[in-house]
Amino acid sequence: TKTPKATAKKLVKTPSKTPVPRTPRTPRTPCNPTPSIPQRNQLAKKPVSVLEEARARLHVSAVPESLPCREQEFQDIYNYVESKVIDGTGGCMYISGVPGTGKTATVHEVMRCLQHAAKQDNLPSFQFIEINGMKLTDPHQCYVQILKLLTGEKATAHHAAALLEKRFGTPAPKRETTVLLVDELDLLWTQKQNVMYNLFDWPTRKQAKLVVLAVANTMDLPERIMMNRVASRLGLTRMSFQPYTYKQLQRIICSRLNRLKAFEDDAIQLVGRKVAALSGDARRALDICRRAAEICEYSAAQQAASNLVGMPHVVQALDEMFSSPYITAIRNASAQEQIFMRAVLAEFQRLGLEEATFQQIYQQHMGLCRMDGLQPPTMSQTMLICTRLGACRLLLVESSKNDLHMRVRLNVSQDDVMYALKEKSVK
């Protein structure tokens, strides 16, 4: 008998593994990661009416064809920078004036003309860079910005300051002259004042070939804020931009309109006189004119009225501009509260800053009371006045401290405060 065959072993398949989901790939960085605004599918609509064209021309961001009423200042800055570039030397010019008087716009126009002259080989080539104190989170960040604009390098504030110190302290005969515009200089103030000192010490070195144009809102900033060593550096060349007069404001508005008949002559004169009496700020005058044009355009569409901006439209625009709830609150405030607001303005103008301590404002308050023939309130009474104005949100009062060193800021524009107080005194 044959031996029975061994039972064949059944082959059992190994169960397949549970599929593991694949980790998604990290998306590749695009070639141009900088965010950009999508392009227009259609061209921007052109103005269809005279008033729409006027509003476009009166916009603050619109680039005018010329800068009227600043011809002398333009020529002085142009001659100063041109001489420094031709001689290959450095220097510093301190340009001051209240906001809206054309300081930055004049400097930009000077640099545009000088760059055009350099392209035509009528002037040695130079490098123009600009920083703005308003755009910096910390005054020492200006070193980072200047180094990046000059060389393209990125560094920390401390390292950038060291590299700039080395650059402006090392002779380089073939180096081009650098023109540096420092706008909003007031905001670069530090306790040790080393930032301002460096900005105005570097141009004094022969090998630096650096021209600094410093723009600020306060005429006596060096004497008010800086130490004597910095003030001495700024004593080289100074220029002051005076507030625009009503005739100059009229000329600016007419040059913007450029023979476009959209306003009555009396309406433009009213805007010029009203703004010149407050601050002489050209930007405020342009804003009022634009709002008056909008009111006229709306009324013309509703009532088929004239398309010419007249006195009623300007008066309505002025009421809107200067009749906010804050202005109403200032007008209805007590006499001591109004004096305190005046003291805040006076101290801000004295310091050149938009922040002051309660002690500084109290000194101004006492002086204003004596000038008005009133009995000055006590320190605690004045503190209560400040607290009430802070509760109304007319002032921003530091909540962490309740003493003499408490910091105070305005929560409304200085123009609005001046307008409310002047109207009150007239009545």
Side-chain angles (χ1 to χ4, degrees), residues 7-21:
T7 307
K9 293 181 179 180
K10 292 182 180 181
L11 298 175
V12 182
K13 290 184 178 181
T14 306
S16 60
K17 296 180 179 179
T18 307
V20 181

Side-chain angles (χ1 to χ4, degrees), residues 340 347 356-366 379 383 403-408:
F340 191 85
E347 187 61 23
T357 63
F358 173 79
Q359 185 177 20
Q360 294 170 325
I361 298 171
Y362 178 67
Q363 297 296 328
Q364 291 279 359
H365 188 95
M366 287 197 301
M379 181 79 74
M383 180 67 75
D403 55 10
L404 295 177
H405 301 289
M406 175 177 66
R407 289 179 292 182
V408 178

